[in-house]
Amino acid sequence: MKKCVFAGTFDPPTAGHQAVVQTCLKLFDEVVVAVMINTAKKPFFTAEERVALLTKLFDDAKGVKVISFCGAAVDLLKQEGTVFYVRGVRNTIDFEYENADYFASKKLMPELEEIYIPAVQENIQISSTLVKNSVKFKKDYDFYIPQKIAEDMKKLLEAKNV
């Protein structure tokens, strides 16, 4: 059984994240979608809220497991028993960042196999930051998030008075 990990902050999950997971499901039997917890960051949504959004988003996708994790990606890969680490890239800036991170991680876990999945053209501009800025400035963000979780996200935002 081939398994990969796709980790990120997913704050919030976007249509781009969804597309990466859908591509992973064509390549792997199991995709672990891991909400990474970085105590140095102040996320918009709690880890539990992000896990709930992702769980709902992929509730009908056979082979997707959603978890949260606090620690290094290489430790997550070891915990999940896989060497395949998937990264979504939208542009050369993402690629350069991910590539630098890859070389550092490869020193910690030589067996690591990092797989870059390029964004489809209609998702190139989508980012969690774009969604958060759209919310902040009260602009439409529906195109950037999966419709399956749109109402849940709006309810979470209303509860936060955003």
Side-chain angles (χ1 to χ4, degrees):
M1 181 164 115
K2 292 287 183 189
K3 177 189 213 181
C4 72
V5 167
F6 176 44
T9 53
F10 304 107
D11 186 38
T14 68
H17 297 132
Q18 182 182 31
V20 170
V21 173
Q22 289 168 336
T23 299
C24 288
L25 287 170
K26 295 176 185 176
L27 303 169
F28 296 94
D29 301 307
E30 184 177 359
V31 180
V32 177
V33 180
V35 172
M36 299 299 276
I37 300 167
N38 181 342
T39 55
K41 287 186 176 181
K42 177 115 172 85
F44 210 63
F45 295 100
T46 67
E48 294 78 17
E49 290 167 338
R50 290 176 278 155
V51 166
L53 289 168
L54 287 162
T55 299
K56 180 172 184 178
L57 181 58
F58 298 113
D59 65 357
D60 59 351
K62 185 176 184 247
V64 175
K65 176 172 93 170
V66 179
I67 63 169
S68 63
F69 187 82
C70 185
V74 293
D75 294 329
L76 171 59
L77 290 164
K78 289 174 184 174
Q79 174 184 295
E80 290 299 324
T82 186
V83 298
F84 299 108
Y85 190 43
V86 171
R87 308 305 297 147
V89 292
R90 293 167 296 190
N91 51 40
T92 56
I93 295 167
D94 282 355
F95 177 78
E96 291 297 329
Y97 172 82
E98 295 298 345
N99 220 32
D101 193 51
Y102 163 72
F103 290 120
S105 295
K106 189 82 168 165
K107 289 189 183 305
L108 299 172
M109 185 179 177
E111 66 274 25
L112 171 73
E113 297 295 340
E114 192 152 307
I115 298 165
Y116 301 124
I117 297 183
V120 294
Q121 189 172 13
E122 61 266 17
N123 291 345
I124 286 176
Q125 81 287 0
I126 297 175
S127 69
S128 293
T129 301
L130 175 64
V131 174
K132 288 184 279 194
N133 285 339
S134 296
V135 169
K136 179 180 173 184
F137 295 113
K138 304 204 182 313
K139 301 298 179 192
D140 184 30
Y141 56 85
D142 286 345
F143 176 77
Y144 308 127
I145 61 168
Q147 291 310 298
K148 189 170 182 179
I149 60 170
E151 285 304 313
D152 297 85
M153 201 171 119
K154 286 177 183 168
K155 287 177 185 173
L156 288 171
L157 291 168
E158 287 172 8
K160 296 174 184 294
N161 292 318
V162 180

